[in-house]
Amino acid sequence: MTELIEQVENLAREFAARGATAGTLEMHHNAVSGYGARAHGSIGTLMLPRKWPDTAAISAAVRAELGVDKDADDLVQMRLRVRGDSYEFQYRCQSQHYENELGWDFTRQVIRDPTYRYPGHAVPSPVADENPDGRPTDPELVATVADLVREYVELRSRQDGHAPQLGAGITEAEIAAAESRIGFRLPEELRALYRVVGYDDDDRGLLAFTALQPLAIIAATHLNDDIEVADHYGAGTVGAWRDSLFADFGRTVLESWPHGVVRRISRSPKWVIIGSSDRDVTAVDLDPGPIGVSGQVIEFEPDGLGAAVRRDDSVLAMLRRTVESLRVGESAFEYYNAEIADHPNMHAYLRGAGESVAELAGAIAVQSLTVDGRDSFDAAELAALPLLRQLEVRVAESVRLSVPHTVPLEQLRLTAPRIDLHPLAGHPALWDLSLSGTTEPVRISPLATLPALQRLDISEIEVSDLETVATLPALRVLVATMRQWRLLRDRDAVPAGLAAAQLVGDAAFGDEIAWAADLGVDPGTASLPIMRGTL
């Protein structure tokens, strides 16, 4: 213990000597994958120009204290909090997984209702065919795919000087076993492809922009969020991403282009992921939008950023495009990228007083707008954006929140020195509101007239009528500071229907534990050791 105490105290004294009065340093270390750190408060400011601390040395001392082998493939997590002339240090060691929480956000984020999800983010329940179809794959389609694959191999061999590495096709029995696990029959074109090719690891290969996963892995990971599964097969194969209520982005699901081709949802039990490339995954969609086609190929980011995009009508269409491009010496990958580049931009930006909403190009397709660098902004301008769902406004002086009720705005992030919420009253669609930047208290009583408001972040403002929070009819997620949470508790105004809660700002480790306990949740840190000292 002496070595750990000395290292922690020296680190705390170093920050105090450099002028840190409050803040937290979070660190993690693993003997195999390395280390990392992040800082908050005045410690964060001091860390910018200097070298990060020796996490290996502190980690070794933690391992020694816990009796863990110094070379074990475990993840050591540590955090140091400095406040005035005192400090506290907490640590833990856990098995290494790719999905490990590297920071300590979990101590300030509690889930009271694990079934709750934001609009458009419902967790898909597995579905199954009522009358399983036992027919074998159409032999003519298998022959067509085999001819295309044969030509692909010839063209790539000629182009690269060697044959592409494709897995051998699988049997009807193996396809049927995978479908039984997934719950339904796969598109005939995909079945035919697997009869000919078992897998393709090249994400610029047979399917142009995505690798093709083995069907057995697809079946094992379909709709599976389990970190053990992800750790075994790899993050890109997980059948459905972990849809966090505390994510900084991706909370609002945007509409794909063309509108109506893909359903406006974050995921579906009938989106079957077949491959991945970079940050994106590719799936066949058997639950399309009203103008889509069953079996269409879509692409999306598993973290929920952006909308799912239709890439082609079917796996067979993609295969044909790949071969046709090779015939003329072109790239199918570039073809598909160029096609996406032609889509109208769903994101728009207004910077400075000289730009207006009315002058935005492709206004009919804009779903996300950022307004920055203005002295003032009148939300009445938004009438020109009939599909706007996300809005972020940062103004220097004033904002008028007269959002037309015909605009389907769902998420608003507002930073302004003065905020009057009365013009926002009664908006039918707004369900996610974050407020910041004010120099005077904000009255939030108008929010009680918002029928859809489910998430509210007041952690960066002072609220004059804080107890109003308890009257918000649809509120499920609240983000607030320790002071605000305590006032709500003391005034018996903590919303009874909260599904999740988040604590923001400085707080002692013990106060975090007590906050979670007040909400009826064990954050999992009450049993972790805490070292405390004075400087």
Side-chain angles (χ1 to χ4, degrees):
M1 176 64 81
T2 302
E3 181 183 355
L4 181 58
I5 291 175
E6 288 179 356
Q7 291 209 39
V8 171
E9 184 172 321
N10 288 339
L11 183 59
R13 289 187 181 281
E14 178 185 349
F15 283 122
R18 292 172 60 85
T21 57
T24 302
L25 174 67
E26 299 177 357
M27 300 165 282
H28 65 267
H29 185 274
N30 173 260
V32 176
S33 60
Y35 65 92
R38 64 177 182 175
H40 312 277
S42 57
I43 285 182
T45 303
L46 291 172
M47 290 301 293
L48 293 177
R50 74 180 294 276
K51 183 179 178 181
W52 289 99
D54 185 357
T55 57
I58 303 177
S59 170
V62 168
R63 289 176 182 275
E65 181 62 28
L66 295 175
V68 177
D69 188 280
K70 63 182 180 66
D71 296 320
D73 186 21
D74 290 336
L75 182 72
V76 175
Q77 293 177 271
M78 306 157 283
R79 59 174 177 164
L80 171 70
R81 176 179 176 267
V82 174
R83 183 73 174 181
D85 61 354
S86 64
Y87 69 87
E88 55 183 348
F89 180 79
Q90 192 170 40
Y91 54 93
R92 72 174 183 171
C93 186
Q94 60 177 344
S95 298
Q96 173 76 350
H97 293 292
Y98 94 95
E99 278 285 0
N100 271 143
E101 176 66 72
L102 298 180
W104 291 78
D105 290 342
F106 68 94
T107 65
R108 295 160 161 258
Q109 300 169 346
V110 300
I111 302 290
R112 302 176 75 191
D113 179 0
T115 67
Y116 171 74
R117 290 294 184 274
Y118 291 131
H121 289 262
V123 176
S125 300
V127 296
D129 289 335
E130 293 183 3
N131 299 302
D133 188 343
R135 291 178 299 111
T137 309
D138 181 350
E140 292 187 6
L141 192 55
V142 174
T144 297
V145 169
D147 287 342
L148 288 168
V149 171
R150 189 178 304 111
E151 185 175 0
Y152 167 78
V153 171
E154 293 172 356
L155 292 169
R156 281 294 299 267
S157 299
R158 192 181 310 152
Q159 171 185 290
D160 301 338
H162 59 82
Q165 300 298 306
L166 303 177
I170 62 176
T171 65
E172 289 287 344
E174 289 173 309
I175 293 175
E179 290 176 334
S180 177
R181 190 165 185 176
I182 292 170
F184 47 84
R185 186 179 177 92
L186 296 172
E188 206 69 8
E189 295 92 341
L190 185 59
R191 286 177 125 257
L193 179 58
Y194 276 115
R195 291 289 285 117
V196 180
V197 176
Y199 61 86
D200 180 10
D201 292 333
D202 187 356
D203 63 1
R204 299 295 184 268
L206 196 64
L207 295 182
F209 54 81
T210 184
L212 178 67
Q213 292 283 352
L215 187 54
I217 292 180
I218 290 171
T221 57
H222 182 62
L223 302 184
N224 197 325
D225 291 331
D226 187 81
I227 62 171
E228 296 287 349
V229 173
D231 199 39
H232 179 72
Y233 290 116
T237 65
V238 178
W241 57 95
R242 303 179 70 187
D243 225 347
S244 174
L245 296 177
F246 307 107
D248 290 331
F249 48 78
R251 294 195 297 268
T252 300
V253 180
L254 301 180
E255 182 86 39
S256 67
W257 183 267
H259 300 157
V261 170
V262 182
R263 292 180 60 204
R264 196 170 75 89
I265 52 178
S266 67
R267 67 200 210 190
S268 165
K270 289 206 166 183
W271 290 2
V272 181
I273 294 173
I274 62 172
S276 62
S277 175
D278 301 324
R279 296 184 306 174
D280 299 324
V281 294
T282 302
V284 289
D285 176 10
L286 283 81
D287 184 25
I291 64 171
V293 293
S294 182
Q296 64 190 3
V297 180
I298 63 174
E299 186 178 59
F300 55 91
E301 292 189 25
D303 58 16
L305 183 62
V309 178
R310 185 199 70 89
R311 300 306 300 268
D312 216 322
D313 288 338
S314 67
V315 168
L316 181 59
M318 288 177 63
L319 180 55
R320 281 178 168 147
R321 170 57 59 185
T322 298
V323 172
E324 289 169 2
S325 297
L326 285 171
R327 286 171 183 163
V328 295
E330 296 178 353
S331 165
F333 175 77
E334 295 300 332
Y335 166 83
Y336 283 110
N337 274 3
E339 187 178 59
I340 286 183
D342 288 338
H343 291 181
N345 197 342
M346 64 178 66
H347 303 280
Y349 302 87
L350 291 181
R351 299 183 175 93
E355 300 179 358
S356 69
V357 173
E359 296 171 348
L360 286 174
I364 192 172
V366 172
Q367 300 181 60
S368 176
L369 174 66
T370 299
V371 179
D372 198 3
R374 284 188 170 194
D375 290 336
S376 61
F377 178 70
D378 187 345
E381 293 185 46
L382 301 177
L385 306 179
L387 289 180
L388 185 69
R389 301 189 187 278
Q390 291 179 331
L391 175 64
E392 182 168 5
V393 178
R394 296 185 290 267
V395 295
E397 295 183 5
S398 64
V399 60
R400 178 170 172 76
L401 294 174
S402 49
V403 181
H405 289 193
T406 55
V407 174
L409 185 67
E410 298 183 12
Q411 181 183 49
L412 171 60
R413 295 187 182 194
L414 175 60
T415 302
R418 290 175 299 280
I419 295 177
D420 178 7
L421 295 172
H422 286 90
L424 200 59
H427 193 281
L430 185 67
W431 63 263
D432 184 356
L433 177 63
S434 301
L435 305 171
S436 63
T438 57
T439 57
E440 55 189 49
V442 177
R443 189 168 184 81
I444 63 171
S445 57
L447 300 184
T449 68
L450 300 180
L453 186 64
Q454 298 186 36
R455 182 186 181 276
L456 177 63
D457 184 345
I458 54 173
S459 63
E460 296 188 43
I461 63 169
E462 182 179 347
V463 179
S464 61
D465 53 345
L466 187 61
E467 58 275 13
T468 300
V469 168
T471 70
L472 303 182
L475 190 67
R476 301 305 309 279
V477 180
L478 179 63
V479 183
T481 64
M482 180 61 77
R483 177 179 176 274
Q484 291 169 330
W485 282 112
R486 283 174 172 165
L487 286 173
L488 288 171
R489 180 197 61 193
D490 294 345
R491 298 172 185 177
D492 195 24
V494 176
L498 285 183
Q502 184 170 358
L503 173 64
V504 174
D506 183 63
F509 300 160
D511 289 341
E512 290 177 351
I513 295 169
W515 165 76
D518 285 343
L519 292 168
V521 177
D522 177 4
T525 54
S527 61
L528 297 181
I530 299 177
M531 294 171 45
R532 295 185 174 90
T534 56
L535 302 174

